[in-house]
Amino acid sequence: MQKIIILIHCKDQKAIISTVTNYIASKEGNIIYLDQHVDADENVFFMRLECEFSTKNWDLNALKSDFEQQLAKPLQLTWEIYTQGEKPKMALFVSKYDHCLYDILGRYSSGELPLEIAVIISNHEDLKPIAERFSIPFHFVPFTKEIKEKGEKEQLDLLNQYQIDFIVLARYMQIITPNLIAKYRNNIINIHHSFLPAFPGAKPYHSAFKRGVKIIGATSHYVTEGLDEGPIIEQDIARVSHVNSIEDFIMKGRDLERTVLARAIKLHAERKTMVYDNKTVVFY
Amino acid sequence: MQKIIILIHCKDQKAIISTVTNYIASKEGNIIYLDQHVDADENVFFMRLECEFSTKNWDLNALKSDFEQQLAKPLQLTWEIYTQGEKPKMALFVSKYDHCLYDILGRYSSGELPLEIAVIISNHEDLKPIAERFSIPFHFVPFTKEIKEKGEKEQLDLLNQYQIDFIVLARYMQIITPNLIAKYRNNIINIHHSFLPAFPGAKPYHSAFKRGVKIIGATSHYVTEGLDEGPIIEQDIARVSHVNSIEDFIMKGRDLERTVLARAIKLHAERKTMVYDNKTVVFY
Amino acid sequence: MQKIIILIHCKDQKAIISTVTNYIASKEGNIIYLDQHVDADENVFFMRLECEFSTKNWDLNALKSDFEQQLAKPLQLTWEIYTQGEKPKMALFVSKYDHCLYDILGRYSSGELPLEIAVIISNHEDLKPIAERFSIPFHFVPFTKEIKEKGEKEQLDLLNQYQIDFIVLARYMQIITPNLIAKYRNNIINIHHSFLPAFPGAKPYHSAFKRGVKIIGATSHYVTEGLDEGPIIEQDIARVSHVNSIEDFIMKGRDLERTVLARAIKLHAERKTMVYDNKTVVFY
Amino acid sequence: MQKIIILIHCKDQKAIISTVTNYIASKEGNIIYLDQHVDADENVFFMRLECEFSTKNWDLNALKSDFEQQLAKPLQLTWEIYTQGEKPKMALFVSKYDHCLYDILGRYSSGELPLEIAVIISNHEDLKPIAERFSIPFHFVPFTKEIKEKGEKEQLDLLNQYQIDFIVLARYMQIITPNLIAKYRNNIINIHHSFLPAFPGAKPYHSAFKRGVKIIGATSHYVTEGLDEGPIIEQDIARVSHVNSIEDFIMKGRDLERTVLARAIKLHAERKTMVYDNKTVVFY
């Protein structure tokens, strides 16, 4: 059996579910998972399907082209189709913090992440030994405001060279350039160490401490042009109290950052996220 | 527009989704929500649909009978259809604890619960003044092991008289008889003050305290013949520590009991729960 | 035995704990709970003690005056002493939302809150029947920008008349005047329906929905001159997803508002909160 | 300045706090943290202190011996004193699961754990490459019922050789022998993949799935003779629903196991846990 994942996004319309499910049935496909969402205000429709096809006479490209002609064109669908085994290629951007890096590499080595970590890119050389320990190619790409264009070019070259599908910023402390964002629209995942939209920008734990909050958080989101303003994929929180120092906030926050980023990466790699209107639809 | 809810439960089979959604489309119905679940091990299929029909020529009974003939019989579906406005009638069973009672009556008065509280039945007279305060009929039905049959008869008579659809045990401290369970199979909701299956039976907070747990819980479940062994609808937890006495456990637990029971009642009244194999499917 | 609660706040200084605990021991008091906190950055010290004294020859006023002379004056302590049974008098301010009101009155009637609800004050007459149902005096005090001074005077007169110790704003939808804030500094508790500092001001659920957050929250805080900027007492959160409408956010939020406000009221009434530097120390 | 941690455990007695704090003050020590707990039912007293002493004329052994003579003997205290910098030596026992191992080694490498991982001992050779990657000594010690005595001897020899203070079972799938438990009483930490006391023993995720729970958990506890019955240090939970398969339970559970075990290790290494009556006092 061949298992595929279909993502559909279109204007809401009559009989859309029956039309799509009929199509699958007509191709002798068996739906094993279907989730859909209608945003009534925006009048948009989203669907995620997992289907099984008998492998006899199976041809993915034929299916895609048929799908486009028979279904997508008439209904004006935006769509993506993936085979189950297809692992997206990921690039990790890091600076000096190593806790998210260790966590991702540990999970990756344990076989928890359905993806391939193709390359680690950093604006510092500090974390190179960790990359080596896990046998992942590491590239040092200096990046500052002054050499932005040079840095961006090197990044883009590496992303091309390693045929990268999506990028994860694991506490990467530099701005991502508009060109990179445009090229990897909805494919760059950042972890911000606050409960957005509270405390965007620099030093959120310090701001949270000063404000005297009783709960801190972390937020994973797709990167857009606005700082920490992209579509949120996942958030989580931890309780704090007056006994906790800023150092405690940071330490508790590290656990949040690890977990929230790992969940977002997994959801993205499993093709469970869809973006619209600066929000995400996340099919669990 | 007329809005209806359809629940379907059957053996898993090919093209089941497209067959059902085609049927809705053929009746000019518009699906505004669809969620389904396949239990691959048990080979069973569950679906919950919300559909809108134009009210012109609308006839619920005709639809039901057509649905049965055209769809349910050939596919061997177990099904239920409700119109959106239809509020189920609920009976509240209480003893002496008043916190869940106050909570439910408060939510009910605030318009949060899509149901009608038709009657409160108790084996004590203590809570009668609360029922009166909220203008709900209150019946005192003594119940002990010795007068079990008499008590059960009085309960069944009242449930008939008030045309009760489902029963909520809001810390009711007596056994429910097998007759009552059989008559209201999957329609009696209990709140147990522990994180089941830990600490079933009497005095769970005392047992939790003795065991030194760091988290306590509450569980809402459908009542079956086995004590605290029925299908779980909802659970939640709260942190405790060595500083908390048994009295603190009980006080924190009251909040859990309130919240977990209220959520279960709401899910049930909204027809979002389905039961099989001593488990629940809960369509959020 | 007579049980008392002592709250102490002062500049951090050498041997402060031993000096205070010696004093208690010298008076034949037995410490049954002690919690302290040092803010090293601000160089301030906080302590909460629960002590038991034999009731023979017990005289609270004598103790207070001795405490002031022997301890507080030399060490420059700010302090409060309460006897255990002493219930603070609370005024409830409401507008039209009834869910927090029902919740507080239910808990109060169940004996969960160590306080006396002396009066309910509202700028609308809608909730009067609920107050009557629970036999709490209700006063309608119109309040708008135009009649602010008249409204404030009526409020202050009622607070004096009922000898109110602290005020709870249970979704009261009007500004509190600076005079009232000054008179009840750190004694007015508000519930805001967001995870502050995210989404202060009006319509936070709408803003949260628009931003696409995956978690919503509620915050209970002491009222200060800055809107939603006072010291935070308690916060909690609930998960949301793309399937939730704004109405779902509001409904889930009601549960948060109820729980968070109830916890803050209880903590305040038990004298477990201390305020400094726009933060709270909360001794659990 | 020299910083020390003092743990005290004794029968509850009059003026115990003032006596201890006076003693510290008399030695020119400055208390920077004090937390205490009285179990009124058991009549026992616990205290944890962090104190600073000027390093001039500082002598830890002199202090310990003076503390024993002046304080501990007369008051019949059980006590421990540690200097702040003193890192306990930890042995990791593993079998074939690598996710907790990766997590602990990652945190250790990031500098999050105030301890020294001296050795990894396993009854399989599978995880040896990971130990090598992080440059930690790895010893293969076969262990089955048949060669229990031989295995135990090898384990004890290694623990002696590496001067191990405490042992962490990171999903080690063999019984710990009574001799080892006795030698490391309250110093062997296990992670069990359920919310104890629910689902002790083998395959807890399978049992949880079968029971249809809505929340799963993990529990970290000190190992005693009774299987999964030792004093609980830390627990946490995650929500599940009908959509989750057993594989999902296991995957979500891995995150719980990692986090809960890491927290327990940290609390133990920071000397924040005390055990009595099969429970823990955990000073946060």
Side-chain angles (χ1 to χ4, degrees):
Chain A
M1 298 294 271
Q2 179 66 42
K3 214 167 142 189
I4 64 165
I5 296 162
I6 308 176
L7 299 177
I8 292 170
H9 175 187
C10 62
K11 228 180 59 151
D12 193 22
Q13 48 199 292
K14 272 227 159 177
I16 172 78
I17 298 175
S18 58
T19 309
V20 175
T21 54
N22 276 340
Y23 175 83
I24 306 292
S26 77
K27 300 289 162 190
E28 313 265 312
N30 192 29
I31 297 172
I32 51 176
Y33 169 92
L34 178 157
D35 204 350
Q36 51 76 241
H37 173 60
V38 177
D39 186 318
D41 296 329
E42 307 283 335
N43 201 35
V44 282
F45 175 85
F46 303 88
M47 186 153 61
R48 185 175 184 279
L49 292 149
E50 295 181 11
C51 320
E52 279 175 347
F53 290 86
S54 130
T55 43
K56 227 173 40 187
N57 305 321
W58 168 258
D59 181 338
L60 180 63
N61 287 331
L63 179 78
K64 282 185 177 178
S65 132
D66 189 76
F67 186 92
E68 172 64 24
Q69 288 307 316
Q70 302 296 319
L71 214 63
K73 217 175 227 172
L75 299 174
Q76 294 188 276
L77 311 181
T78 306
W79 60 276
E80 297 165 62
I81 293 182
Y82 303 98
T83 52
Q84 186 80 351
E86 223 181 318
K87 288 186 182 179
K89 289 194 177 190
M90 172 174 130
L92 261 172
F93 279 38
V94 297
S95 289
K96 293 187 165 185
Y97 288 110
D98 59 4
H99 57 289
C100 284
L101 179 61
Y102 269 122
D103 186 66
I104 293 167
L105 295 179
R107 286 168 194 269
Y108 182 59
S109 306
S110 286
E112 288 185 25
L113 299 177
L115 50 85
E116 185 195 331
I117 303 181
V119 64
I120 298 173
I121 295 172
S122 180
N123 60 327
H124 292 282
E125 303 208 72
D126 305 50
L127 305 186
K128 191 174 182 181
I130 303 176
E132 284 168 353
R133 207 182 272 186
F134 286 85
S135 312
I136 315 273
F138 179 96
H139 291 269
F140 168 49
V141 178
F143 196 100
T144 57
K145 273 184 194 172
E146 292 67 36
I147 55 162
K148 211 165 60 168
E149 276 160 50
K150 185 171 167 295
E152 182 194 80
K153 195 185 167 309
E154 283 190 62
Q155 288 172 353
L156 284 168
D157 287 349
L158 283 167
L159 296 171
N160 279 332
Q161 176 192 329
Y162 285 98
Q163 297 178 284
I164 293 304
D165 294 304
F166 75 108
I167 299 166
V168 168
L169 312 180
R171 302 293 312 272
Y172 178 66
M173 309 299 277
Q174 289 293 329
I175 291 298
I176 299 298
T177 61
N179 277 338
L180 206 58
I181 294 174
K183 194 161 173 345
Y184 284 92
R185 172 84 46 209
N186 299 334
N187 279 299
I188 307 177
I189 299 173
N190 185 38
I191 180 73
H192 182 72
H193 40 313
S194 87
F195 188 96
L196 289 175
F199 311 122
K203 293 202 173 277
Y205 293 130
H206 289 74
S207 307
F209 183 81
K210 195 170 177 326
R211 180 62 187 89
V213 296
K214 299 299 185 190
I215 291 178
I216 57 169
T219 303
S220 184
H221 63 93
Y222 288 115
V223 173
T224 58
E225 284 75 10
L227 181 65
D228 300 327
E229 289 178 358
I232 294 171
I233 306 167
E234 173 66 350
Q235 302 187 288
D236 211 343
I237 59 99
R239 291 207 160 260
V240 291
S241 82
H242 66 272
V243 307
N244 296 121
S245 62
I246 290 184
E247 288 69 36
D248 295 334
F249 277 40
I250 291 171
M251 191 55 78
K252 277 170 175 256
R254 289 164 71 110
D255 247 8
L256 290 175
E257 293 164 33
R258 271 190 273 255
T259 317
V260 169
L261 181 56
R263 281 188 217 144
I265 292 172
K266 195 151 180 277
L267 288 168
H268 181 88
E270 293 171 342
R271 337 280 189 180
K272 291 187 170 169
T273 62
M274 298 181 79
V275 174
Y276 82 111
D277 203 17
N278 208 42
K279 294 186 193 185
T280 60
V281 170
V282 179
F283 291 118
Y284 291 101
Chain B
M1 297 297 270
Q2 180 66 42
K3 212 167 143 188
I4 64 165
I5 296 161
I6 306 176
L7 298 177
I8 290 170
H9 175 186
C10 62
K11 228 180 59 152
D12 194 22
Q13 47 198 289
K14 274 229 158 174
I16 172 78
I17 299 175
S18 59
T19 309
V20 174
T21 55
N22 276 340
Y23 175 83
I24 307 292
S26 76
K27 301 290 162 187
E28 313 265 312
N30 193 28
I31 296 172
I32 51 177
Y33 169 92
L34 178 157
D35 204 349
Q36 52 74 244
H37 173 61
V38 176
D39 186 318
D41 296 329
E42 307 282 334
N43 201 35
V44 283
F45 175 83
F46 302 88
M47 185 154 61
R48 186 175 183 278
L49 292 149
E50 295 181 12
C51 321
E52 279 175 345
F53 290 86
S54 129
T55 45
K56 225 173 44 184
N57 306 320
W58 167 259
D59 181 338
L60 180 62
N61 287 331
L63 179 77
K64 282 185 177 179
S65 131
D66 189 76
F67 187 92
E68 172 64 25
Q69 288 306 316
Q70 302 297 319
L71 213 64
K73 218 176 226 170
L75 299 175
Q76 294 188 275
L77 310 181
T78 306
W79 59 277
E80 298 165 63
I81 295 183
Y82 303 98
T83 53
Q84 184 81 353
E86 225 179 316
K87 287 185 183 180
K89 289 195 176 189
M90 173 174 129
L92 260 172
F93 280 37
V94 296
S95 289
K96 292 187 164 184
Y97 288 109
D98 59 4
H99 58 288
C100 284
L101 179 61
Y102 269 122
D103 186 67
I104 293 167
L105 295 178
R107 286 168 194 269
Y108 182 59
S109 305
S110 287
E112 287 184 26
L113 300 177
L115 50 85
E116 184 194 331
I117 303 180
V119 63
I120 298 172
I121 294 173
S122 181
N123 59 328
H124 292 283
E125 303 208 73
D126 306 50
L127 305 186
K128 192 174 182 180
I130 302 176
E132 284 169 352
R133 208 181 269 184
F134 285 85
S135 312
I136 315 273
F138 179 96
H139 292 270
F140 168 49
V141 178
F143 196 101
T144 58
K145 273 184 193 172
E146 292 68 35
I147 56 163
K148 210 165 62 170
E149 277 161 49
K150 187 172 165 292
E152 181 195 82
K153 197 188 166 309
E154 281 190 65
Q155 289 172 353
L156 284 168
D157 287 350
L158 284 166
L159 297 171
N160 279 333
Q161 178 192 327
Y162 286 98
Q163 298 177 281
I164 293 304
D165 292 305
F166 76 107
I167 299 167
V168 168
L169 312 181
R171 300 294 312 272
Y172 178 67
M173 309 297 279
Q174 290 292 330
I175 290 297
I176 299 299
T177 61
N179 277 338
L180 207 59
I181 294 174
K183 196 165 173 339
Y184 284 92
R185 173 82 47 207
N186 299 334
N187 279 299
I188 307 177
I189 298 172
N190 185 39
I191 179 73
H192 181 72
H193 40 312
S194 87
F195 188 96
L196 289 176
F199 312 122
K203 294 203 172 279
Y205 293 130
H206 289 74
S207 306
F209 182 81
K210 193 167 179 326
R211 179 63 185 91
V213 296
K214 298 301 184 189
I215 290 180
I216 58 169
T219 304
S220 184
H221 63 93
Y222 288 115
V223 173
T224 58
E225 284 75 9
L227 180 65
D228 300 327
E229 290 179 357
I232 294 171
I233 306 166
E234 173 67 349
Q235 302 188 287
D236 211 344
I237 59 99
R239 292 205 161 261
V240 290
S241 82
H242 66 272
V243 306
N244 296 122
S245 62
I246 291 184
E247 289 67 37
D248 295 334
F249 276 40
I250 292 171
M251 191 57 78
K252 276 169 175 258
R254 288 164 72 111
D255 248 9
L256 290 176
E257 295 165 32
R258 272 190 273 256
T259 316
V260 170
L261 181 55
R263 279 187 219 146
I265 292 172
K266 195 151 179 277
L267 288 167
H268 181 88
E270 292 170 343
R271 336 283 188 180
K272 291 187 171 169
T273 63
M274 298 180 80
V275 174
Y276 82 110
D277 204 19
N278 207 43
K279 295 186 191 183
T280 61
V281 171
V282 179
F283 291 118
Y284 290 101
Chain C
M1 296 295 270
Q2 181 66 42
K3 212 167 141 187
I4 64 166
I5 296 161
I6 307 176
L7 298 177
I8 291 170
H9 175 186
C10 62
K11 230 180 56 157
D12 192 23
Q13 48 199 289
K14 272 228 158 174
I16 172 77
I17 298 175
S18 59
T19 309
V20 174
T21 54
N22 276 341
Y23 175 83
I24 306 292
S26 77
K27 299 292 161 185
E28 314 264 313
N30 192 28
I31 296 172
I32 51 176
Y33 169 92
L34 177 157
D35 204 350
Q36 51 76 243
H37 173 60
V38 176
D39 186 319
D41 296 329
E42 307 283 334
N43 201 35
V44 282
F45 176 84
F46 302 88
M47 185 153 61
R48 186 176 183 277
L49 291 150
E50 295 182 12
C51 321
E52 279 176 345
F53 289 86
S54 129
T55 43
K56 226 173 45 186
N57 305 322
W58 168 258
D59 181 338
L60 180 63
N61 287 331
L63 179 77
K64 281 184 178 181
S65 130
D66 189 75
F67 186 92
E68 172 64 24
Q69 288 307 316
Q70 301 297 321
L71 214 62
K73 217 174 226 169
L75 299 174
Q76 294 188 277
L77 311 182
T78 307
W79 59 277
E80 297 166 63
I81 293 182
Y82 302 99
T83 53
Q84 184 81 350
E86 225 179 317
K87 288 186 182 179
K89 289 193 177 190
M90 171 174 130
L92 260 172
F93 280 37
V94 297
S95 289
K96 293 185 164 187
Y97 288 110
D98 59 4
H99 59 287
C100 284
L101 179 61
Y102 269 122
D103 186 67
I104 293 167
L105 295 179
R107 287 167 194 268
Y108 182 58
S109 305
S110 287
E112 287 184 25
L113 300 177
L115 50 84
E116 185 194 330
I117 303 181
V119 64
I120 298 172
I121 295 172
S122 181
N123 59 329
H124 292 283
E125 303 209 74
D126 305 51
L127 304 186
K128 191 174 182 181
I130 302 176
E132 284 169 352
R133 207 181 269 185
F134 286 84
S135 311
I136 314 274
F138 179 95
H139 292 268
F140 169 49
V141 178
F143 195 100
T144 58
K145 274 185 193 173
E146 293 68 36
I147 55 163
K148 211 165 59 170
E149 276 161 49
K150 186 172 164 294
E152 181 195 81
K153 196 187 167 309
E154 282 190 63
Q155 288 172 352
L156 284 168
D157 287 350
L158 284 167
L159 296 171
N160 278 333
Q161 178 193 328
Y162 286 98
Q163 298 177 280
I164 294 305
D165 293 305
F166 76 107
I167 299 167
V168 169
L169 312 181
R171 300 293 313 272
Y172 177 67
M173 308 298 279
Q174 291 292 330
I175 290 297
I176 299 299
T177 61
N179 277 337
L180 207 59
I181 293 173
K183 196 166 172 340
Y184 283 92
R185 172 83 46 207
N186 299 334
N187 280 299
I188 307 177
I189 298 172
N190 186 39
I191 179 73
H192 181 72
H193 39 312
S194 87
F195 188 95
L196 289 174
F199 312 122
K203 293 202 173 278
Y205 292 130
H206 289 73
S207 307
F209 182 82
K210 194 167 178 327
R211 180 63 187 90
V213 296
K214 298 300 184 190
I215 290 179
I216 57 169
T219 304
S220 184
H221 63 93
Y222 289 115
V223 173
T224 58
E225 284 74 9
L227 180 64
D228 300 327
E229 290 179 358
I232 294 171
I233 306 167
E234 173 66 350
Q235 302 188 288
D236 212 344
I237 59 98
R239 291 206 161 260
V240 291
S241 82
H242 66 272
V243 306
N244 296 122
S245 62
I246 291 185
E247 288 68 37
D248 295 334
F249 277 41
I250 293 171
M251 191 57 76
K252 277 169 175 255
R254 288 164 72 111
D255 248 9
L256 289 176
E257 295 164 31
R258 270 191 274 256
T259 315
V260 170
L261 181 55
R263 279 188 219 145
I265 292 173
K266 194 151 180 277
L267 288 168
H268 181 88
E270 292 171 342
R271 338 279 188 183
K272 291 186 169 169
T273 62
M274 299 180 80
V275 175
Y276 82 110
D277 203 18
N278 207 43
K279 295 186 191 184
T280 59
V281 170
V282 179
F283 291 119
Y284 291 100
Chain D
M1 297 296 268
Q2 179 65 43
K3 212 167 142 188
I4 64 165
I5 296 163
I6 307 177
L7 298 176
I8 291 170
H9 176 187
C10 63
K11 229 179 58 148
D12 193 24
Q13 49 198 292
K14 273 227 159 176
I16 172 78
I17 298 175
S18 58
T19 309
V20 174
T21 54
N22 276 340
Y23 175 83
I24 307 293
S26 77
K27 300 289 162 188
E28 313 265 312
N30 193 27
I31 296 172
I32 51 176
Y33 169 92
L34 178 157
D35 204 349
Q36 51 76 242
H37 173 61
V38 176
D39 186 318
D41 296 329
E42 307 283 335
N43 201 35
V44 282
F45 175 84
F46 303 88
M47 185 152 63
R48 186 175 184 280
L49 292 148
E50 294 182 11
C51 321
E52 280 175 345
F53 289 86
S54 130
T55 43
K56 225 173 42 188
N57 305 320
W58 168 257
D59 180 339
L60 180 63
N61 287 331
L63 179 76
K64 282 185 176 179
S65 131
D66 188 76
F67 187 91
E68 172 64 24
Q69 289 307 316
Q70 302 297 319
L71 213 64
K73 216 174 227 172
L75 299 174
Q76 294 189 277
L77 310 181
T78 306
W79 59 276
E80 296 165 63
I81 294 182
Y82 303 98
T83 53
Q84 186 80 350
E86 222 180 320
K87 288 186 182 180
K89 289 194 178 191
M90 173 173 128
L92 260 171
F93 279 38
V94 297
S95 289
K96 292 186 165 187
Y97 289 110
D98 59 4
H99 57 289
C100 284
L101 179 60
Y102 269 122
D103 186 67
I104 292 166
L105 295 179
R107 288 168 193 269
Y108 182 58
S109 305
S110 286
E112 288 185 25
L113 300 176
L115 50 84
E116 184 194 331
I117 303 181
V119 64
I120 298 173
I121 295 173
S122 181
N123 58 329
H124 292 283
E125 303 208 71
D126 305 51
L127 305 186
K128 191 173 181 181
I130 303 176
E132 284 169 354
R133 206 180 273 185
F134 286 85
S135 312
I136 314 274
F138 179 95
H139 292 269
F140 168 50
V141 178
F143 196 101
T144 58
K145 274 184 193 170
E146 292 67 37
I147 54 161
K148 211 164 62 169
E149 275 160 50
K150 185 172 166 293
E152 181 194 83
K153 195 186 167 308
E154 282 190 63
Q155 288 172 351
L156 284 168
D157 287 350
L158 284 167
L159 297 171
N160 279 332
Q161 177 192 330
Y162 286 98
Q163 297 177 284
I164 293 305
D165 293 304
F166 75 108
I167 298 166
V168 169
L169 312 180
R171 301 294 312 272
Y172 178 66
M173 309 299 276
Q174 289 294 329
I175 291 298
I176 298 299
T177 61
N179 277 339
L180 207 58
I181 295 174
K183 194 161 174 341
Y184 283 91
R185 173 84 47 208
N186 300 333
N187 279 301
I188 307 177
I189 298 173
N190 185 38
I191 179 72
H192 182 72
H193 40 313
S194 87
F195 187 96
L196 290 175
F199 311 122
K203 294 203 171 276
Y205 293 131
H206 289 74
S207 307
F209 183 80
K210 194 168 178 327
R211 179 62 187 91
V213 296
K214 299 300 184 190
I215 290 178
I216 56 169
T219 303
S220 185
H221 63 92
Y222 288 117
V223 173
T224 58
E225 284 74 9
L227 181 64
D228 299 328
E229 289 179 357
I232 294 171
I233 306 167
E234 173 67 348
Q235 301 187 288
D236 211 343
I237 59 101
R239 291 207 161 260
V240 291
S241 82
H242 67 272
V243 307
N244 296 121
S245 62
I246 290 184
E247 288 67 38
D248 294 334
F249 277 41
I250 292 170
M251 191 56 77
K252 278 170 175 256
R254 288 164 72 110
D255 247 8
L256 290 176
E257 294 163 32
R258 271 190 273 256
T259 317
V260 169
L261 181 55
R263 281 188 217 143
I265 292 172
K266 195 152 180 276
L267 288 167
H268 181 87
E270 292 171 342
R271 337 280 189 181
K272 291 186 170 170
T273 62
M274 299 180 79
V275 174
Y276 83 110
D277 204 16
N278 208 42
K279 294 186 191 184
T280 60
V281 170
V282 179
F283 291 118
Y284 292 99

